[in-house]
Amino acid sequence: MGGTHGGELLAISDLHVAYSENRAIVERLRPGSDDDWLIVAGDVGEVFSEIEEVLGLLSERFAKVIWSPGNHELWTHPKDPLEVRGVARYEALVEMCRAKGIVTPEDLYPLWEGIGGPLVIAPLFLLYDYTFRLDGMATKEAALAHAHEVGVVCTDEHFLHPDPYPTRDAWCRARVAETEARLAAVDPGLRTVLINHWPMTRLPTRVLRYPDFALWCGTELTADWHVRFRAETVVYGHLHIPRTTVEDGVKFQEVSVGYPREWKAHGRLPEDPLRRILPVPVP
């Protein structure tokens, strides 16, 4: 099963299916062929049963689904009957995905052998460590204090628990170290598609309306990974600013749907919100 018969590698993120308008978008998603793969780069929803339902639906429609978690999936939300936190929450999501044949960051990276391949498709889970700070903010503590002062604080501070790690940034550093070792072991003769919910470099956050929010958007530890690990392209979400940027000749593609108020205000949601990653679209 895969891209060997002319299928496409498609991507989407930030479905936020708690909103009925976004759920309707999911209901319309269909592959163009029986060989299409789908990347889901996080933030399907917050409640475990909804995440399970949506990923299950997509896994039935697409030849292969590759999932990277977003911050919303990792929340222990008051409305969610599943009360596990932190690593235990993530492990429950991984177990659920595996039962549906969905590739997670804990699985062997699949090889895309369709048009544009061979390429290693690498879903990652890296979190953030508060290093995307405003200029002049030397420490995490100073940056967080400023964010609280101006009223720009991510809901993660209330719902995303790092247990058993002492902090979210400690969990991030552990994930980065583990993932770096895995990527270093990939055949050096193969290029990659790197997938992470959060941006892997600082550049995409420079356009944020509220710059303090960058604190919850990634880590400087991955700033050169697109070069070190031979990325053909990098796929991410989280910012709700769908666009393509280029760094060191590598395309970074933000593939989010976002909240209804956002895409309605900008009139930017096409009939088919899926982004084609491979084959590379002709300009």
Side-chain angles (χ1 to χ4, degrees):
M1 184 193 321
T4 56
H5 303 292
E8 296 182 336
L9 177 64
L10 305 166
I12 197 166
S13 75
D14 297 81
L15 292 167
H16 294 293
V17 297
Y19 294 90
S20 60
E21 299 96 325
N22 284 26
R23 175 60 75 103
I25 291 170
V26 171
E27 295 294 336
R28 295 196 302 268
L29 294 180
R30 293 292 190 283
S33 82
D34 291 341
D35 294 318
D36 286 356
W37 289 15
L38 178 65
I39 292 166
V40 181
D43 278 8
V44 172
E46 296 89 32
V47 175
F48 191 93
S49 60
E50 287 186 343
I51 300 165
E52 182 176 26
E53 179 188 354
V54 170
L55 289 177
L57 181 68
L58 296 175
S59 70
E60 292 171 359
R61 293 178 178 173
F62 290 83
K64 190 182 291 293
V65 172
I66 299 109
W67 169 79
S68 288
N71 52 311
H72 283 243
E73 279 108 334
L74 298 169
W75 285 2
T76 304
H77 197 281
K79 294 182 179 179
D80 195 339
L82 185 68
E83 297 179 350
V84 293
R85 296 162 48 129
V87 173
R89 170 86 177 183
Y90 173 59
E91 290 176 344
L93 288 162
V94 168
E95 182 178 353
M96 176 270 290
C97 285
R98 284 175 166 170
K100 300 179 183 302
I102 296 169
V103 180
T104 80
E106 305 310 306
D107 299 314
L108 291 175
Y109 299 146
L111 184 67
W112 171 265
E113 297 181 281
I115 298 172
L119 288 164
V120 173
I121 312 300
L124 314 177
F125 168 38
L126 300 172
L127 278 168
Y128 50 85
D129 63 359
Y130 305 96
T131 52
F132 287 0
R133 303 174 193 136
L134 296 181
D135 293 341
M137 297 288 173
T139 65
K140 164 190 168 182
E141 290 73 21
L144 282 172
H146 185 268
H148 280 271
E149 182 180 337
V150 299
V152 179
V153 180
C154 184
T155 309
D156 290 3
E157 296 295 311
H158 304 286
F159 293 157
L160 202 167
H161 306 286
D163 313 24
Y165 293 94
T167 62
R168 282 172 285 276
D169 38 317
W171 192 7
C172 170
R173 288 189 292 271
R175 291 296 314 179
V176 167
E178 179 181 337
T179 305
E180 186 174 26
R182 287 194 64 195
L183 288 173
V186 170
D187 182 344
L190 291 171
R191 294 184 64 77
T192 65
V193 174
L194 301 181
I195 304 155
N196 188 50
H197 177 68
W198 296 269
M200 295 185 67
T201 70
R202 182 69 189 273
L203 179 64
T205 70
R206 298 295 186 186
V207 298
L208 287 173
R209 182 177 181 182
Y210 302 104
D212 290 87
F213 189 74
L215 285 172
W216 295 273
C217 292
T219 170
E220 291 184 347
L221 294 171
T222 61
D224 64 349
W225 282 23
H226 59 289
V227 175
R228 287 179 57 202
F229 300 122
R230 307 169 303 284
E232 185 75 18
T233 191
V234 177
V235 177
Y236 69 100
H238 191 57
L239 302 186
H240 297 190
I241 307 173
R243 62 176 183 148
T244 299
T245 54
V246 178
E247 298 182 57
D248 303 303
V250 178
K251 284 186 178 180
F252 288 70
Q253 302 187 65
E254 209 274 17
V255 298
S256 63
V257 173
Y259 299 126
R261 67 176 182 272
E262 296 167 330
W263 53 262
K264 285 181 178 180
H266 293 89
R268 60 171 165 76
L269 191 76
E271 285 299 315
D272 183 0
L274 296 174
R275 183 81 63 86
R276 177 152 60 98
I277 306 302
L278 293 169
V280 176
V282 177

